[in-house]
Amino acid sequence: MISRKQLLEHAKAQQATDIHVCAGAPIMFRMGGKLIPITKEKLTAEQSREISLELLTEDQKVRFEKDLDYDLMLANGAGRYRINVGYFNGEVGSTIRILPTRPRTIEELSLPDITRDLAQRTKGLVLITGSTSQGKTTTMTSMIDHINATCEKHVVTIEDPIEYVHENKVGVVRQREVGKDTQSFYSGLRAALRQDPDVIAIGEMRDYETIKIALTAAETGVLVLSTLHVISIDKIIERLVSYAPATDEGQLRFLLAESLQGMIHQELIPTTDGGQRVACEVLVVTNAAKNIIRRKGGFFLRSVIETGRKHGMMTMSESVNNLLEAGTISEGVAKSILANYE
């Protein structure tokens, strides 16, 4: 049976992003956005369990059997890995995300120029949005790296878990992991305000208290970067409002209108060479956008984006068509992505 070391080394050599270990299926690598089998035989329940539990220490195995799920970060000389071990229909399996050994730059990710501008704002909230596994954390990390490399600023991050490790460059980046360095996103964010930050990066805004204090921090002179699960920019208002009590909707809208600087909504799409590239739509918050956030539904933000090119805004259609014209993606992929934005 393949060992943990062999499995991880093979995945890195194949430039896989994820490894799936599942009873009743071959070991699968995610490459270019697709799951590819890398063993001929399907794993038995015992093999899946053996491979998955090899990732854990004895103490972690005890915790796993008690909680039925276990998340961990694994770091060794060869790389860093985010791991989930869990029960699936009574059998043990695991999913391993292979993390880059260093942050990727804005240039390497081919992100639009406005990304650099938003990273250089001195205060306010910048959101990176999208569904699960669309590279939101990678984009936010590239913005932190840009700040770190170009500005004498103090960046405090609150992450669960820490996926990319920053080395101090021109600035200073201090990273805190939920469960290890701080109890929660909320407690870490509240403490960060007392740590003389210029920039606070929150791995994900997951509850109303975190959202409220992040907006307050952004309004009072700190640049706040965060990610949020949402399917498109025009759903942002209802997504954030859904976290708030009905009595607080007006206050939340006001805080959002005053503090939001911009949003990058992205999708990670397969390229013709077997890789992946980010396609994105970008909202820069103008006075027109502020008025919509205060009073209307997010649907009206669509017209702001469509007429905001001079401010650096971009529609998903523009981004996808640029990739298509460059031959980076196929026509079929372009159509499948744009079908969700019509």
Side-chain angles (χ1 to χ4, degrees):
M1 179 48 58
I2 189 169
S3 70
R4 179 182 79 177
K5 182 180 178 182
Q6 291 171 322
L7 181 63
L8 298 179
E9 286 179 351
H10 186 44
K12 285 182 72 78
Q14 295 295 313
Q15 297 184 317
T17 58
D18 299 86
I19 304 167
H20 290 262
V21 177
C22 176
I27 295 176
M28 311 282 274
F29 286 177
R30 187 174 293 279
M31 297 186 288
K34 297 180 180 179
L35 285 178
I36 309 295
I38 59 103
T39 56
K40 292 181 180 179
E41 302 296 326
K42 295 179 179 179
L43 296 175
T44 65
E46 184 55 40
Q47 288 171 329
S48 178
R49 179 183 181 87
E50 183 181 330
I51 294 170
S52 299
L53 293 185
E54 190 188 356
L55 300 164
L56 306 181
T57 65
E58 292 305 316
D59 287 344
Q60 289 169 342
K61 289 175 187 176
V62 172
R63 287 274 303 278
F64 166 66
E65 293 297 350
K66 177 184 176 184
D67 298 338
L68 306 181
D69 276 295
Y70 197 86
D71 294 310
L72 72 149
M73 287 291 301
L74 179 67
N76 56 35
R80 290 169 53 81
Y81 310 90
R82 187 181 73 199
I83 301 168
N84 171 269
V85 182
Y87 274 94
F88 303 88
N89 196 23
E91 309 296 353
V92 177
S94 54
T95 307
I96 305 166
R97 168 66 56 87
I98 300 160
L99 302 172
T101 53
R102 63 169 181 81
R104 298 180 67 187
T105 65
I106 289 172
E107 292 75 19
E108 287 172 333
L109 296 173
S110 300
L111 295 169
D113 291 340
I114 190 65
T115 309
R116 227 174 268 104
D117 176 66
L118 290 172
Q120 290 169 340
R121 301 289 174 101
T122 56
K123 64 179 180 178
L125 174 67
V126 176
L127 289 174
I128 300 96
T129 66
S131 53
T132 303
S133 300
Q134 298 303 313
K136 298 186 296 297
T137 299
T138 303
T139 293
M140 186 170 76
T141 300
S142 75
M143 297 173 76
I144 296 168
D145 180 69
H146 177 74
I147 296 166
N148 185 25
T150 60
C151 306
E152 295 170 335
K153 291 187 175 181
H154 177 210
V155 183
V156 178
T157 77
I158 305 136
E159 304 170 71
D160 182 21
I162 293 172
E163 294 190 11
Y164 300 83
V165 176
H166 293 272
E167 295 181 0
N168 295 328
K169 298 179 182 178
V170 175
V172 174
V173 182
R174 299 165 85 180
Q175 297 177 261
R176 308 191 76 199
E177 185 168 310
V178 173
K180 186 175 81 172
D181 303 309
T182 186
Q183 290 184 342
S184 66
F185 280 109
Y186 172 67
S187 62
L189 176 55
R190 191 173 55 184
L193 294 175
R194 300 191 295 271
Q195 293 163 351
D196 187 34
D198 296 295
V199 181
I200 299 174
I202 310 165
E204 185 183 344
M205 297 206 296
R206 295 180 179 177
D207 58 73
Y208 179 55
E209 290 304 319
T210 300
I211 291 167
K212 192 173 178 181
I213 196 170
L215 289 171
T216 303
E219 190 189 16
T220 55
V222 176
L223 178 64
V224 178
L225 307 176
S226 190
T227 72
L228 190 70
H229 289 294
V230 66
I231 59 173
S232 67
I233 281 180
D234 49 17
K235 302 292 184 186
I236 181 62
I237 298 173
E238 62 187 71
R239 176 65 169 161
L240 286 172
V241 167
S242 71
Y243 285 103
T247 52
D248 287 4
E249 179 179 337
Q251 183 188 14
L252 185 66
R253 281 178 173 272
F254 176 80
L255 284 172
L256 187 61
E258 291 304 307
S259 62
L260 187 63
Q261 295 287 314
M263 288 177 56
I264 300 168
H265 179 80
Q266 62 183 55
E267 298 211 21
L268 205 54
I269 58 178
T271 57
T272 51
D273 63 1
Q276 290 179 298
R277 276 279 290 275
V278 167
C280 59
E281 57 181 358
V282 181
L283 170 71
V284 178
V285 177
T286 59
N287 286 332
K290 287 178 185 288
N291 288 331
I292 289 168
I293 292 168
R294 286 192 195 102
R295 299 184 178 89
K296 298 182 180 180
F299 172 78
F300 294 96
L301 291 174
R302 184 66 51 199
S303 61
V304 174
I305 297 170
E306 289 170 353
T307 58
R309 185 178 293 179
K310 67 180 180 181
H311 298 289
M313 297 191 224
M314 175 184 289
T315 65
M316 185 62 76
S317 294
E318 287 178 88
S319 181
V320 169
N321 285 327
N322 287 343
L323 293 173
L324 180 61
E325 289 171 10
T328 306
I329 62 173
S330 68
E331 191 169 340
V333 166
K335 285 182 178 178
S336 68
I337 297 298
L338 294 180
N340 297 319
Y341 292 86
E342 293 176 350

